[in-house]
Amino acid sequence: MTTTSLARQTADSSPALHYYVVYDDAGEPEGLLAEEFLLAADHSSAGLVSGGWSQSEGRWCDASATSRRLRVDAALRKRVTPVGRAAAAALYWDLCGTDLPEEAALRACFGAPPALPPSPLRLSGSEPRPGFHETRVYRILFADELSPDGLAALSEAWQMPVTGDLADPEVRILGAVRRQVSGDAFRWDLRRVAGGAAWGLDVTCDLLGDRDEAVGVLLRGLTTQMRQQGLIPVTVDRFR
């Protein structure tokens, strides 16, 4: 398998903003949120910036506070739906009769990026798996609930056998996937985390050489596919 074919199996993973429709208390669309994760050189999260537009304001402005609240406020998450850019553009046209601004223009309204985080704490040894140049372990953390239909869609997209019962809160790992890309080996486990309050993809990357482009492709693609099932990405942490 090539990096390109991996990208196809993990959705369109080209760098792009994440879009969300925001609904009012009556369930009617009232605005849009556009977010971007800032990434460190190793593809882990270094920050989150965003911009928002609402009918009441009629303009785009910094929405970093809203994005932060979205990750911890379950009531707010019930009023927000992840969408792709095409759906965001269609709604924007319906609400204000004009084209959704290009992503460069949207980024111009984002607030200042946060200060870079300190060097991460590695929770396991740094020795690579035998036969590989480097082994990395990431966790992509998501808020919100995974539905049975969402699990079925992920199982089909990833060709992942479901090994646990979604309805059983004691089950932690729902499935595991393995892929080979030009000698690199990847595995990700779909699991409940934080006592079942969130979902995570634990991603192990065994790299044959010192190039890591496939890591970024995979992490972005997996995030996109989880968003398509209604989950909201919180962070990408690297543990090794």
Side-chain angles (χ1 to χ4, degrees):
M1 179 182 291
T2 66
T3 300
T4 301
S5 59
L6 178 67
R8 293 195 189 103
Q9 289 200 16
T10 54
D12 180 6
S13 58
S14 58
L17 303 182
H18 291 169
Y19 296 91
Y20 299 87
V21 178
V22 183
Y23 297 87
D24 61 21
D25 292 334
E28 295 296 324
E30 68 170 358
L32 289 170
L33 186 66
E35 298 183 338
E36 182 171 38
F37 278 95
L38 306 177
L39 301 178
D42 65 358
H43 310 289
S44 61
S45 295
L48 175 64
V49 290
S50 69
W53 176 89
S54 67
Q55 286 185 290
S56 58
E57 290 282 337
R59 63 186 180 88
W60 287 90
C61 59
D62 176 30
S64 299
T66 301
S67 289
R68 290 192 296 269
R69 188 159 66 91
L70 182 61
R71 271 71 190 173
V72 298
D73 187 338
L76 177 59
R77 288 200 298 273
K78 292 183 182 300
R79 296 173 44 219
V80 170
T81 299
V83 296
R85 180 174 170 88
L91 176 63
Y92 192 72
W93 179 268
D94 289 343
L95 293 179
C96 63
T98 189
D99 290 334
L100 181 67
E102 295 296 326
E103 296 201 332
L106 293 178
R107 288 184 175 96
C109 76
F110 292 176
L116 291 176
S119 298
L121 174 65
R122 300 289 185 242
L123 300 183
S124 61
S126 59
E127 288 299 314
R129 199 158 67 89
F132 292 93
H133 172 76
E134 182 181 13
T135 294
R136 301 183 187 180
V137 177
Y138 296 85
R139 172 170 287 175
I140 316 174
L141 184 65
F142 300 87
D144 237 335
E145 299 178 4
L146 180 62
S147 69
D149 286 347
L151 177 59
L154 293 173
S155 174
E156 180 178 1
W158 296 338
Q159 302 171 24
M160 175 187 73
V162 176
T163 57
D165 183 359
L166 182 64
D168 184 351
E170 298 301 317
V171 172
R172 287 293 175 258
I173 297 179
L174 272 295
V177 184
R178 289 180 172 84
R179 293 288 185 272
Q180 294 282 140
V181 182
S182 301
D184 297 332
F186 300 95
R187 172 192 169 107
W188 59 94
D189 299 333
L190 174 63
R191 66 167 63 229
R192 287 186 175 96
V193 296
W199 287 89
L201 291 176
D202 286 352
V203 185
T204 300
C205 308
D206 291 312
L207 304 180
L208 191 62
D210 57 3
R211 298 178 65 90
D212 69 350
E213 292 90 340
V215 175
V217 169
L218 178 64
L219 296 178
R220 290 193 301 271
L222 293 175
T223 299
T224 296
Q225 288 191 306
M226 293 288 279
R227 286 187 72 251
Q228 290 171 347
Q229 306 312 319
L231 290 130
I232 296 174
V234 176
T235 187
V236 181
D237 289 327
R238 182 179 170 191
F239 296 144
R240 176 175 174 181

